[in-house]
Amino acid sequence: MIGADTGTIERLAGRRWLPVAGVGLLLFLVVSWLHYRFVVGPLDYANKDFMSLWTGGRAVLRGLDPYDPAVWAPLRMEYGSEWMPDARAPFPLWTFLLMTPFALLPLAPAAAAWLTFQEFLLGLALFLMVRVVGDYRPDLREVVLLAGGAFLSVAMLLVLINGQMTFLLLLAPVLYLLLWQQGRPFAAGAALSLLALKPNPFVLFVPLLGLWLLWQRRWLVLAGAAAGGLFLLAATWLVQPGWLLPWFSVRSKTEVVSVTPTLWGAAAELSANWWLPVGLLLVVVLTLIVGRFVFRRPRLSDGAVVALALPASLLVKPYTWAYEHALLFLPWLWLFTRLARRRLARLSWFGLAWLLPWAIFALAMVRLKDTMGFLVPLATLVAVLWVEWRRLSAGRRN
């Protein structure tokens, strides 16, 4: 009798999800149509970054080698692209496998669905970081502030305009924090393997977090990350054996560039002729500062380490653009939930996630270059360092 009652309850619970899923699907379709009608056509996604993702998915579906220069450019042209930023596909094959559901659609509907998917991922990241990881229940005013600051941010605008995948990358460290907090270290490590979808934003994040996990003896987390990476490699090797070495031949996304919103761009502002050695010095100094702070404080939480490593990685990476600043939503939300003084928490969110990025974007539009954009991750890094230093200092006094 008890078993029958339990089954009835489970069936009723399942039925309750049906209308929710139906409303969610309808909302997804409506928002995708709005993107298709008012965004995709005017912005021409055949000549945006999204084209590389979609074309790679198409190559997988057609059994073509996206890392063959004789295939890549003609394939893009076949689908209407006149912009050829790379001689061969710039993303790893597992990223293109992920894109195959979108590649089943024609380019314009696929771009519209992709933009909607990215917006959904941002909303999911907001909820998980604040309500679940942060264990904080915002009031209605704070919900409006968080949603407005996120969906009307420069980061959101740039991700959508370019059709980038930054909010999918943001989900990886968010899931790591969530799963670790739930006591699932192996799954938390597997979530980190999603960073391999686009490795270059994490040039400092991965070694810093990896060394910290070794220092903390998080063997199950490391095993989960390794297992996730091996799974991605095995799955893609079955699709196209030997793809890894040709992908390593892609150099354009690893070159040091002086016009980016990084410490390299800051170095170019300081010295036009000596920007490379100045940039290298800045990178070394910042890496030592962050590393010293992390490894001299064993009581730092996982969230604090991730919130420090993300802006530091965006500052030192050789090639990036401002749309990758969408990864900073994690440290911005971390600060929002960790600051005890709610007025200060709201001001930090408004200033770091909305006001400063928009001001820097306006400056970049005037100057026609975004080298001053390094101030956004730098201000974020300084804020997290200050909050964690104050918190640990207060803990020692108590």
Side-chain angles (χ1 to χ4, degrees), residues 111-151:
W114 179 253
L115 300 186
T116 307
F117 180 55
Q118 291 300 303
E119 290 169 333
F120 167 76
L121 291 177
L122 174 58
L124 180 62
L126 289 173
F127 173 77
L128 293 178
M129 280 299 301
V130 174
R131 189 66 187 92
V132 184
V133 176
D135 194 23
Y136 178 74
R137 187 183 294 275
D139 59 31
L140 180 59
R141 291 178 303 172
E142 290 180 328
V143 170
V144 173
L145 178 67
L146 289 169
F151 287 94

Side-chain angles (χ1 to χ4, degrees), residues 42-55:
L43 291 182
D44 183 19
Y45 280 77
N47 292 295
K48 299 290 184 181
D49 293 338
F50 174 74
M51 186 63 177
S52 293
L53 294 167
W54 183 84
T55 306

